[in-house]
Amino acid sequence: MAGAGQRKGKKDDNGIGTAIDFVLSNARLVLGVGGAAMLGIATLAVKRMYDRAISAPSSPTRLSQSGKRSWEEPNWLGSSSHLLTQDMKTSLSRSLQTLPTDPSATDTDFFRPTKPKPSAKRSQMELKKSRLRLSLQEKLFAYYRRKVAIPAEEQARAKQAAVDICAELRSFLRAKLPDMPLRDMYLSGSLYDDLQVVTADHIQLIVPLMLEQNLWSCIPGEDTIMNIPGFYLVRRENPEYFPRGSSYWDRCVVGGYLSPKTVANTFEKVVAGSINWPAIGTLLDYVIRPAAPPADLTLEVQYDPERHLYIDFLPSLTLGDIILVAKPHRLAQNDNLWRLSLRPAETARLRALDQCDSGCRCLCLKILKAVCKSNPALGHLTASQLTNVILHLCQEESDWSQDMLADRFLQTLKGLIRYLEAGVLPSALNPKVNLFSELTPEEVDELGYTLYSSLSEPEVLLQT
């Protein structure tokens, strides 16, 4: 009986099945590959629903335990063509076996599943980064208020003490050494540029030498056997026409060149040995004494019971448009070289950029200086090096508003690491000058390691 029922069903279905087979076999010729695929899906859906209808029992529809019809229509009907049941996928694959396999002849976009858009994940990551940036921004400003900024009253007191010392030294030199050709001394340094951090504890007293332009000339360090850009030899010229002794500074010539070390020793004898600083200190209500070695040409001034100021005497000279200072090279074999003075021009450029757009460049520099001053592992980084990293970054980034402080702080750290890896930090004003030339390989490694370790958690640098 079962077999007879199956044969009967097959006979009843024979007309519709023949029509479906005819439509499917000829659809590709009429509608093309894409149309045939669409028609195949629709036709199979109708055929499956018809099969379900003719095979349904004559008794009333039974309900399952969950209350749903036990023979309800497939749940993929009326839904997206991508949501196919396993039976549907099998039937469809059999029907499409006769379609061409050439990828170029198939509409692949129709069958490709839609990839979920990562916009939600991306927005969450951006939100997290924004929160971290705001957190770092708040910590940077808090660190500046707590650690970096110097009270105005302390700065004023330190400047006044420096002015008093400068006036006394100027009077002494004019009275005791009237034949020493000097220009007017002046105070300089980060304290006068409002870039000093943590405490007002040091300043420079520039002592300009007066040289005869026809007796002296500058030779760049890269043109010498030492090959050190950023340093100069000062050569004595025309000795056959102007013999030794024609210039006051001939007494400081070593091997035909004006020696910065000999010039510094000359002033050290005056500053440390000839001036009665205790008496001057009593007059000014300060405690003044020459600083202990190795701080040559430095005075220590206690102008308050808990505050000290160190005044560095720095001889300088100007030949043409070149300004040199008697700050020796770190290597002893290069102590006959004068250092090119770039700090005033670097500072002026940085301040000018901030004044144009009320930027945070100087603020970023001061925070970095305080970090290096408080962290012994970063003590070899100088203000000039930090300033130049920021000046280089200014060429890449134009937005230096206060809201961008955290981003620019991190970029400066990454820039420092990049320059340390290369071992070269070119001066922003004179690219031939490598500002890392005086660092040893061990110091470069230590600086790079410390900075690289802080990238994952830069707040650690603010805890020192």
Side-chain angles (χ1 to χ4, degrees):
M1 295 294 293
Q6 290 177 359
R7 287 194 299 271
K8 182 179 180 181
K10 180 68 177 177
K11 181 178 180 181
D12 294 339
D13 185 42
N14 189 40
I16 295 178
T18 303
I20 291 174
D21 292 339
F22 176 78
V23 170
L24 289 176
S25 61
N26 292 279
R28 187 167 52 131
L29 299 176
V30 179
L31 302 177
V33 176
M38 290 292 293
L39 182 60
I41 293 174
T43 305
L44 288 172
V46 173
K47 184 175 183 297
R48 188 175 183 83
M49 185 171 60
Y50 176 79
D51 291 341
R52 289 289 184 92
I54 64 176
S55 62
S58 58
S59 60
T61 303
R62 293 173 299 172
L63 297 178
S64 64
Q65 294 180 358
S66 60
K68 294 184 180 180
R69 299 200 315 268
S70 62
W71 58 279
E72 62 183 352
E73 294 83 8
N75 56 9
W76 50 268
L77 285 179
S79 62
S80 171
S81 61
H82 296 293
L83 302 177
L84 303 177
T85 62
Q86 185 63 34
D87 294 341
M88 188 61 186
K89 292 178 182 178
T90 303
S91 300
L92 180 60
S93 63
R94 291 175 179 174
S95 301
L96 297 179
Q97 285 179 356
T98 59
L99 296 180
T101 58
D102 184 6
S104 62
T106 308
D107 188 4
T108 56
D109 291 339
F110 176 79
F111 297 100
R112 185 180 297 120
T114 305
K115 294 182 180 180
K117 295 182 179 180
S119 57
K121 185 176 181 180
R122 187 184 302 113
S123 61
Q124 291 178 358
M125 292 180 62
E126 292 177 353
L127 181 61
K128 184 178 180 180
K129 290 181 179 179
S130 177
R131 290 175 178 173
L132 291 175
R133 184 179 64 83
L134 290 176
S135 175
L136 178 59
Q137 182 102 342
E138 295 171 355
K139 291 179 181 179
L140 288 173
F141 280 112
Y143 179 76
Y144 177 80
R145 293 188 296 267
R146 172 177 54 88
K147 184 80 173 180
V148 181
I150 303 175
E153 182 271 337
E154 181 181 347
Q155 294 188 55
R157 287 274 291 157
K159 289 180 181 179
Q160 186 58 50
V163 169
D164 294 339
I165 300 298
C166 181
E168 290 295 328
L169 182 60
R170 183 186 297 113
S171 299
F172 177 85
L173 291 177
R174 287 177 178 175
K176 300 297 183 179
L177 301 170
D179 58 337
M180 180 181 287
L182 297 174
R183 302 183 188 276
D184 288 337
M185 293 180 288
Y186 60 92
L187 294 167
S188 180
S190 58
L191 182 59
Y192 269 81
D193 297 326
D194 192 29
L195 291 175
Q196 196 154 125
V197 297
V198 182
T199 181
D201 59 359
H202 65 276
I203 199 169
Q204 292 178 336
L205 177 59
I206 306 299
V207 185
L209 312 185
M210 190 179 298
L211 297 181
E212 300 83 358
Q213 297 293 319
N214 62 326
L215 299 184
W216 308 92
S217 65
C218 294
I219 302 176
E222 59 268 28
D223 294 341
T224 67
I225 192 174
M226 292 169 281
N227 190 24
I228 306 178
F231 290 84
Y232 283 76
L233 288 172
V234 178
R235 184 169 59 191
R236 176 66 157 85
E237 300 289 357
N238 301 320
E240 62 276 11
Y241 301 107
F242 301 94
R244 186 179 178 87
S246 301
S247 173
Y248 177 89
W249 301 109
D250 280 340
R251 66 192 68 189
C252 299
V253 171
V254 176
Y257 298 94
L258 183 63
S259 171
K261 184 176 181 180
T262 305
V263 172
N265 290 338
T266 300
F267 279 98
E268 184 181 6
K269 293 176 182 179
V270 175
V271 172
S274 302
I275 302 179
N276 188 355
W277 290 114
I280 295 177
T282 302
L283 180 64
L284 299 175
D285 196 21
Y286 302 144
V287 177
I288 308 173
R289 55 181 176 269
D296 298 332
L297 274 178
T298 301
L299 283 179
E300 180 183 356
V301 182
Q302 183 178 352
Y303 61 93
D304 196 79
E306 297 182 355
R307 294 175 181 170
H308 292 74
L309 176 68
Y310 293 89
I311 303 177
D312 297 327
F313 290 83
L314 192 59
S316 72
L317 58 89
T318 302
L319 288 173
D321 58 350
I322 300 174
I323 302 176
L324 306 175
V325 293
K327 188 175 182 180
H329 193 280
R330 287 186 66 187
L331 301 180
Q333 63 267 28
N334 300 323
D335 60 0
N336 216 32
L337 293 169
W338 290 76
R339 185 183 298 268
L340 179 64
S341 178
L342 295 172
R343 196 204 68 82
E346 294 166 351
T347 303
R349 175 175 293 189
L350 194 71
R351 291 172 60 88
L353 290 172
D354 262 1
Q355 290 173 359
C356 290
D357 58 7
S358 300
C360 64
R361 300 169 186 84
C362 292
L363 177 60
C364 184
L365 173 62
K366 293 172 75 171
I367 293 175
L368 287 167
K369 288 177 62 177
V371 167
C372 294
K373 188 173 184 177
S374 304
N375 191 329
L378 300 176
H380 292 296
L381 286 175
T382 66
S384 178
Q385 293 164 349
L386 297 174
T387 301
N388 277 269
V389 173
I390 294 177
L391 288 176
H392 285 303
L393 186 58
C394 289
Q395 299 176 1
E396 304 173 5
E397 302 290 347
S398 58
D399 186 2
W400 283 83
S401 59
Q402 301 292 321
D403 294 338
M404 299 300 296
L405 175 61
D407 292 336
R408 301 297 173 257
F409 178 81
L410 291 175
Q411 284 179 295
T412 305
L413 292 181
K414 293 177 182 178
L416 269 171
I417 294 172
R418 185 171 64 251
Y419 290 123
L420 285 167
E421 288 177 348
V424 177
L425 172 58
S427 168
L429 303 183
N430 189 344
K432 294 185 298 183
V433 178
N434 177 18
L435 299 176
F436 285 160
S437 63
E438 296 178 82
L439 293 176
T440 65
E442 293 76 16
E443 291 168 347
V444 170
D445 290 341
E446 182 180 12
L447 291 170
Y449 174 78
T450 304
L451 291 172
Y452 186 80
S453 302
S454 68
L455 283 183
S456 60
E457 194 175 357
E459 293 86 353
V460 175
L461 296 175
L462 309 180
Q463 297 174 1
T464 54

